[in-house]
Amino acid sequence: MEKEKLNYFDYIILAENEYKSLLEKHPELTELSKRELEVFAQLLTDKTQQQIAEELFISHSSVHFHCKNIYRKLNINSRKQLLIKYKDI
């Protein structure tokens, strides 16, 4: 039996459901802006801030600025704390 292919709208629904599930576990993430969420997701990888900047087409100083805001909003002080706190994502 062939698997049914998902269309664009199915992927949108899946993404929305994943986001809702994530916010149920970590409601504090609602404090982050869209761009901060993008940087946050990249911080969970092993990419450097420079690599994140290149990936998101922003300057390194913008990534640094967003990181400071993310840490402040999530009440943490470092990327290491972020990785520990959000290791389940």
Side-chain angles (χ1 to χ4, degrees), residues 30-43:
T30 59
E31 299 295 317
L32 302 182
S33 70
K34 182 180 176 200
R35 182 56 97 180
E36 288 168 348
L37 277 171
E38 291 171 343
V39 173
F40 170 83
Q42 294 293 320
L43 289 171

Side-chain angles (χ1 to χ4, degrees), residues 16-32 37 89:
E16 288 174 345
N17 290 338
E18 282 290 316
Y19 183 65
K20 287 176 187 173
S21 175
L22 178 64
L23 291 182
E24 285 176 8
K25 292 180 191 173
H26 301 286
E28 68 277 10
L29 294 177
T30 59
E31 299 295 317
L32 302 182
L37 277 171
I89 294 179

Side-chain angles (χ1 to χ4, degrees), residues 11-86:
Y11 283 109
I12 297 295
I13 292 168
L14 281 173
E16 288 174 345
N17 290 338
E18 282 290 316
Y19 183 65
K20 287 176 187 173
S21 175
L22 178 64
L23 291 182
E24 285 176 8
K25 292 180 191 173
H26 301 286
E28 68 277 10
L29 294 177
T30 59
E31 299 295 317
L32 302 182
S33 70
K34 182 180 176 200
R35 182 56 97 180
E36 288 168 348
L37 277 171
E38 291 171 343
V39 173
F40 170 83
Q42 294 293 320
L43 289 171
L44 296 174
T45 70
D46 61 350
K47 294 177 184 168
T48 65
Q49 285 191 6
Q50 184 60 46
Q51 290 170 322
I52 293 170
E54 292 168 5
E55 178 97 8
L56 298 178
F57 302 102
I58 58 177
S59 70
H60 179 266
S61 61
S62 291
V63 172
H64 183 73
F65 175 79
H66 290 306
C67 287
K68 286 185 354 184
N69 288 336
I70 290 166
Y71 298 163
R72 179 181 48 79
K73 289 179 179 181
L74 299 180
N75 200 27
I76 56 177
N77 297 310
S78 68
R79 188 171 186 176
K80 183 176 181 179
Q81 286 181 333
L82 181 135
L83 291 170
I84 292 168
K85 185 173 183 177
Y86 297 100

